Amino acid sequence: MSNFVDLFWSSTIDGLTIGSIYALVALGYTLVYGVLRLINFAHSEIFMIGTFASVGTISLFGLSGPASGLTLVLVLFCTAAAGMAASGASAVVLERVAYRRLRTRGSSRLAALISAIGASLFLQEVFALRWSNGELHASGRDYVNSERVLEKTELFSIGDGIVRNDKLLVFVAAILMMIVLDRFVNRTRLGRGIRATAQDSESAVLMGVNINRVVVLTFLIGGAMAGLAGALYVVYFDQTRYIIGFVLGIKAFTAAVLGGIGNLRGALLGGLTIGLVENYGASIWGAEWKDVITFSILVLVLLFRPNGILGEALGRSKA
Amino acid sequence: MLLEIDDISVYYGKIAALKGVTVAVDEGEIVALIGANGAGKTTTLKTISGLRSVAKGAVRLAGRDITNVPGHERVALGLCQAPEGRGIFPGLTVLENLHMGSYIRKGDVSADVERVFSLFPRLKERQKQAGGTLSGGEQQMLAIGRALMAQPKVLLLDEPSMGLAPKIIQQIFEIIQEINEQGVTVLLVEQNAAQALALAHRAYVLETGRVVRSATGRELLNDPSVRAAYLGGDISH
């Protein structure tokens, strides 16, 4: 317990940092669920694609060391844009290939779920492929390291916890993006169309809403959020891997369920909560218990409060 | 004819819900479809709005064949529906629900919002409330108001009286008449046949997916067989 007290502030800072990445990824689960009542289990791979796009973009700059000044801003901006574009586009393609036909033919939810898992495994294995000696090998299973973009420096401290610039960047970027998304969904015509479709898709059609377009938009936004999460992940950890999305994706899904799946603000709350709880738990029992803690939360939420903390807002009450 | 439903058949799986229904609505009319549960009234309206696909026959609006036009595109062509069960977006406010009615329109719609509020002053009082918190009668007003926001050529109303108290039904029907007098053509589906026939210029009687009678509202209202079947026997009018 004394560790918990000693490490409280540093656990809080780490928890909020990783939690904001969970929250960004959780938005994709929650948006798609809100509109289609479908858990897009391939969303974790959409995040993974974002990390690879970010690593690739950073390598294009051929940095000799951490950047600074305007170069830094440019590299960060391009990395985020590339991650968002790659993930957003992949999510749209995923919807077209893996879900649309099932949806328009009215197949069961189980079929869509199986399709999601299939797409997830397919994408993982594709990103494990490497080209060498004129042949494809499934050998890309190690971490791919990225050049360090940001010289990690200590900015200030809260209690015993030290706030580093990369952690602050991750947190601030994620929160800003979520404010933008919240405004989009709640204040614009297209956002209203998304909410209306989530609440009553047949009525939405009667009002002239093109459901397919709303679905594509939903996947695009959710994908772009995961792509930004991917870019921030790479800036924070300087690496990725073909299977990087797997555990992180399930944690983000847990965050979405915890906050109330279908609820955008719930995704933020759930993500930050999961990040904090797993870091507090790690300070008490050790870092190897992080995953156990998160998935215990998932089980407990599903047992005792399956609608999550805030309930489902996109679909039912006011978002 | 403004709206023509020409001999349409619609299937749910292998079961025929409509077996060659023909209905026509002229500009400025109120036309009612009456019939028992399962006669095909709602299916007819859903087919007109493009929510059900047609196995045979055609739907025409102002002479244009719209049988294969996707549902969401029919709103821009001039069809808007207040569906059975009202179909209010429960989490959107009253005002947001109204704005969904004008989803396909560009430009300022505040004059239309004011027009709806003047028809249904209750909605103005509750404009910031979530749609799901309204009473049944208010939700029906919202559903009709929302459909009007699309400025439809033909307003489709599916069972506007369903589940409402007689006084509210009276009020809703008066407003439907008022809307019609302002120049909106109305196609109305009702189980409440007495009220519908009193209001409608013309009406069709549906039975198990077929039109079995069609005449003016008044004629059907005084027809002994219609009275026996749909008006609970001999009621005075």
Side-chain angles (χ1 to χ4, degrees), chain B residues 33-36 191-194 196-198 203-207 212-235:
Chain B
L33 299 181
I34 64 168
Q191 277 208 61
N192 192 334
L197 292 177
Y204 294 79
V205 182
L206 259 71
E207 255 172 39
V212 293
R213 286 287 313 271
S214 77
T216 65
R218 193 135 304 275
E219 224 173 298
L220 289 174
L221 203 52
N222 295 319
D223 182 301
S225 65
V226 171
R227 293 178 77 93
Y230 301 106
L231 302 174
D234 192 43
I235 56 154

Side-chain angles (χ1 to χ4, degrees), chain A residues 186-187 189-190 192-197 199-211 214 313 315-319, chain B residues 46 49 51-52 71-72 75 79-81 83 86-93 96 99-106 146-147:
Chain A
N186 283 311
R187 306 258 176 100
R189 175 178 161 276
L190 281 176
R192 201 155 54 223
I194 291 177
R195 282 188 294 146
T197 306
Q199 291 172 22
D200 189 334
S201 60
E202 204 165 86
S203 275
V205 174
L206 291 178
M207 298 303 117
V209 177
N210 182 343
I211 300 291
V214 165
R316 290 282 155 261
S317 57
K318 202 173 178 309
Chain B
K46 285 192 169 176
S49 280
L51 297 177
R52 296 288 176 268
H72 65 269
V75 184
L79 290 174
C80 201
Q81 181 175 161
R86 298 143 201 156
I88 293 305
F89 302 113
L92 267 56
T93 65
E96 285 179 318
H99 281 144
M100 282 310 298
S102 55
Y103 186 80
I104 49 137
R105 289 175 52 198
K106 304 256 184 299
R146 185 180 63 178

Side-chain angles (χ1 to χ4, degrees), chain A residues 233-267:
Chain A
Y233 185 93
V234 169
V235 171
Y236 185 31
F237 291 107
D238 304 312
Q239 61 181 15
T240 187
R241 197 174 170 223
Y242 77 107
I243 205 158
I244 203 80
F246 181 62
V247 171
L248 194 142
I250 304 179
K251 285 184 180 176
F253 171 65
T254 305
V257 172
L258 176 64
I261 191 144
N263 186 318
L264 295 182
R265 290 172 193 177

